Amino acid sequence: MTSHPLRFGLVVAGSISQLEESARRAEQIGFDVVLLPDHLGMPAPLLSLLPMAEAAPSLRVGNMVLDAPFYRPALLARDLAAVDAATGGRLEIGLGAGHAEEEFRAAGLPFPSAGARVDLVVEHAVEIRRLLSDPGHSPAPVQTPPPIMIAGMGDRMLTAAARHADIVAFLSFGTREHLVERVGFFTDAAGDRAAEVERAFTFMQVASTIPTTCPSCAAPPPACPTTSCAGR
Amino acid sequence: MPDDELRGKVTYLPGPVEEAADRIRSLHETLGITYFTFIMSPSVTFETLERLLAALR
């Protein structure tokens, strides 16, 4: 089993001022990372990390996740290095294959096959790691290189993560059993690397609620004397 | 994904905070997942997330 510390990330969106406020709130309530998605019509995924990092100086920043087929490795590595430098080494790189074909069309980009998109994720992970590990890279990142997260759920993406990622993000839209099977696939694919790769999971929708009474003693949370009260 | 499709999916986190925390602990203990991310949406408040993180720390 892995020995990575437990940590939490919050994926946010909105205007720059809303992103700054969300980052501040996330920092105040105990998050470790704030992240931005990568979609047309949403905040620029790298540039917008800078005001968030400024607003929340203790948080790490990253993307959930950059669509690798939108970019070219050397150009993206340059921008990632600049963000890592500007945030004092707080960047976590997130890479995915992209799925929204309409966004590729709107951007005037080809929408490669699923297999080709996975190949592009691998190309980006390998090249970005190589470039940002090079002490001569300019601009110079603080982290050499920043950690690379690969997000996916198919066999090829999880195999890519097993070989090339520091963090694997399981994007399971299925049942818990499906996630268990996917984690098992990843573990087998990673072999000796399995314990070294940090495992991430994203809750796409949080509908949890704060109970109005303690489930054990039925007292309103402020009055509940038990340390296990959900409302404390 | 519509809400009704989300129900029953592992990526959907419903229920009281303590129950949600138990589900997360279970994923941590059984699958070795250590990094949990949440997508901010109108259905969740910072207060709920604060309680959830406090229950897990």
Side-chain angles (χ1 to χ4, degrees), chain A residues 139-215:
Chain A
V142 172
Q143 304 172 99
T144 52
I148 296 174
M149 174 169 69
I150 292 178
M153 62 186 211
D155 288 0
R156 293 194 64 189
M157 282 297 283
L158 292 180
T159 300
R163 293 177 181 161
H164 303 290
D166 301 296
I167 306 164
V168 55
F170 296 98
L171 299 180
S172 174
F173 296 98
T175 61
R176 182 189 168 100
E177 289 69 32
H178 177 255
L179 176 61
V180 170
E181 188 276 329
R182 292 288 77 197
V183 171
F185 178 90
F186 167 81
T187 303
D188 291 343
D192 291 345
R193 291 195 76 233
E196 147 190 349
V197 181
E198 184 178 22
R199 300 175 184 194
F201 181 73
T202 297
F203 291 100
M204 298 289 178
Q205 185 161 337
V206 181
S208 186
T209 52
I210 300 171
T212 53
T213 58
C214 171

Side-chain angles (χ1 to χ4, degrees), chain B residues 4-42:
Chain B
D4 55 347
E5 265 187 60
L6 270 174
R7 296 180 194 283
K9 310 286 189 191
V10 67
T11 193
Y12 181 68
L13 192 63
V17 163
E18 191 58 35
E19 188 179 311
D22 284 343
R23 288 184 58 187
I24 292 172
R25 278 190 209 99
S26 172
L27 293 176
H28 171 56
E29 289 162 7
T30 59
L31 300 178
I33 295 169
T34 56
Y35 178 21
F36 293 93
T37 60
F38 307 88
I39 295 181
M40 195 68 197
S41 72

Side-chain angles (χ1 to χ4, degrees), chain A residues 9 11 23 33 40-41 46 75 77 84 99 103 112 117 133 145 155 159 170-171 190 194 199 215 224:
Chain A
V11 183
V33 189
L40 285 183
L46 287 174
L75 297 171
D84 191 55
H99 61 89
E103 294 185 17
R117 299 201 309 279
S133 299
D155 288 0
T159 300
F170 296 98
L171 299 180
R199 300 175 184 194
C224 176

Side-chain angles (χ1 to χ4, degrees), chain A:
Chain A
M1 203 56 81
T2 62
S3 58
H4 299 281
L6 195 61
R7 62 189 192 129
F8 302 97
L10 187 63
V11 183
V12 298
S15 67
I16 291 295
S17 61
Q18 289 169 330
L19 294 179
E20 290 172 326
E21 179 58 19
S22 293
R24 276 189 211 100
R25 293 292 304 276
E27 183 180 47
Q28 287 165 358
I29 67 176
F31 277 96
D32 303 286
V33 189
V34 280
L35 305 110
L36 290 174
D38 183 7
H39 291 292
L40 285 183
M42 299 186 83
L46 287 174
L47 180 65
S48 305
L49 294 176
L50 299 178
M52 294 166 63
E54 179 79 16
S58 72
L59 295 189
R60 293 177 68 76
V61 295
N63 295 107
M64 181 60 87
V65 282
L66 296 172
D67 288 352
F70 280 175
Y71 306 99
R72 295 301 304 145
L75 297 171
L76 183 57
R78 177 194 61 184
D79 289 356
L80 292 166
V83 171
D84 191 55
T87 59
R90 289 187 280 147
L91 176 66
E92 299 193 358
I93 298 166
L95 297 174
H99 61 89
E101 183 173 359
E102 66 277 11
E103 294 185 17
F104 285 77
R105 294 197 190 288
L109 294 169
F111 185 66
S113 68
R117 299 201 309 279
V118 175
D119 290 343
L120 286 168
V121 171
V122 171
E123 180 189 1
H124 277 74
V126 170
E127 274 299 288
I128 288 168
R129 187 182 299 283
R130 183 184 70 78
L131 290 164
L132 299 188
S133 299
D134 179 353
H137 188 271
S138 180
V142 172
Q143 304 172 99
T144 52
I148 296 174
M149 174 169 69
I150 292 178
M153 62 186 211
D155 288 0
R156 293 194 64 189
M157 282 297 283
L158 292 180
T159 300
R163 293 177 181 161
H164 303 290
D166 301 296
I167 306 164
V168 55
F170 296 98
L171 299 180
S172 174
F173 296 98
T175 61
R176 182 189 168 100
E177 289 69 32
H178 177 255
L179 176 61
V180 170
E181 188 276 329
R182 292 288 77 197
V183 171
F185 178 90
F186 167 81
T187 303
D188 291 343
D192 291 345
R193 291 195 76 233
E196 147 190 349
V197 181
E198 184 178 22
R199 300 175 184 194
F201 181 73
T202 297
F203 291 100
M204 298 289 178
Q205 185 161 337
V206 181
S208 186
T209 52
I210 300 171
T212 53
T213 58
C214 171
S216 8
C217 71
C224 176
T226 66
T227 53
S228 61
C229 173
R232 288 176 74 89

